[in-house]
Amino acid sequence: QNKTELNWLGKSIIAIPLRAKKQNLGWIILADSEARNYRTQEIAVCRQAATQITLSIIKILSLEEAEEISRELRNLRAIVAEISSELNLTQLQGKILDRALRLIRGEGGIYYVFNEELQELVCTHAINMGESFSPQPVKVGQGASGKAIQLKRTLFIKNYSRWKYRHLDSCFSNIYSTIATPLIVGEHIL
């Protein structure tokens, strides 16, 4: 950088990076209004301070992450308790969809039930899918939900409109990213 850009700091500066796990957390910048050379001892003290500050930042970030995980676990326990207490299957399906959307902070979603005889998914609940959404049965392997059933695993799709297995029905055109999770007990698809 141009030396004049740093004039506001002072005539002499010490800039020591705060780094942890190959990540730059910030800088300690000490400045002096007079031009001078810093002694080796002053630089060593600054480096030691940088190490202590970096450890403090890591501790704070770890505590914040632990608090977030704890909050998510409390929410998950509450969801499990609420879902476990529901005895009406239709209401249970609606609650599962609603709570799953809240958990992932999703905008909308669909709950399908697998019809073994027809080998297709039938929509029982939809939340915020738009006025044009008209639930149609989905065949195994078709769209995100059908593909998740076929593969028997959760799918994370970042750009649904460009995904090669997307459902071509126009009612799915407003979906950008999606998560499709099959509910499977043993070998039985729910």
Side-chain angles (χ1 to χ4, degrees):
Q1 284 186 340
N2 185 339
K3 288 182 182 180
T4 58
E5 290 178 27
L6 298 175
N7 281 347
W8 63 273
L9 285 173
K11 301 223 185 227
S12 298
I13 64 168
I14 296 177
I16 299 177
L18 303 174
R19 296 187 54 82
K21 298 179 184 178
K22 298 180 182 179
Q23 181 183 6
N24 192 7
L25 301 174
W27 292 84
I28 293 178
I29 299 176
L30 302 171
D32 199 318
S33 60
E34 300 299 319
R36 63 177 281 227
N37 290 325
Y38 291 98
R39 295 188 328 256
T40 305
Q41 184 181 3
E42 290 173 311
I43 294 170
V45 168
C46 289
R47 286 186 175 145
Q48 182 62 36
T51 300
Q52 295 302 315
I53 292 169
T54 299
L55 291 173
S56 295
I57 291 171
I58 291 170
K59 183 178 178 181
I60 289 168
L61 292 174
S62 296
L63 286 172
E64 288 174 353
E65 184 179 348
E67 287 172 2
E68 177 65 22
I69 291 169
S70 178
R71 208 171 14 262
E72 288 177 5
L73 286 172
R74 277 194 308 274
N75 290 341
L76 189 55
R77 270 191 237 108
I79 290 168
V80 168
E82 184 179 353
I83 288 173
S84 298
S85 67
E86 184 58 61
L87 298 176
N88 179 298
L89 181 60
T90 303
Q91 290 178 355
L92 174 63
Q93 293 165 344
K95 281 185 179 183
I96 289 172
L97 176 60
D98 179 63
R99 298 314 178 268
L101 286 173
R102 286 186 197 181
L103 192 63
I104 65 167
R105 296 178 183 100
E107 295 175 10
I110 307 165
Y111 188 101
Y112 290 104
V113 173
F114 186 65
N115 182 322
E116 286 189 48
E117 185 179 315
L118 298 175
Q119 290 292 294
E120 63 186 18
L121 297 165
V122 179
C123 174
T124 61
H125 294 81
I127 297 175
N128 294 332
M129 291 305 296
E131 291 181 21
S132 65
F133 181 74
S134 62
Q136 302 295 321
V138 174
K139 297 286 185 194
V140 172
Q142 182 183 35
S145 298
K147 197 69 171 168
I149 292 296
Q150 181 184 37
L151 299 174
K152 295 185 178 178
R153 66 179 176 87
T154 298
L155 298 178
F156 300 93
I157 303 162
K158 290 182 181 179
N159 189 339
Y160 189 77
S161 64
R162 293 189 178 178
W163 188 53
K164 67 180 178 179
Y165 300 108
R166 73 185 177 279
H167 197 293
L168 298 176
D169 193 314
S170 64
C171 68
F172 294 100
S173 63
N174 64 339
I175 297 174
Y176 182 73
S177 62
T178 189
I179 300 172
T181 301
L183 299 177
I184 300 172
V185 176
E187 291 296 313
H188 184 70
I189 301 167
L190 301 178

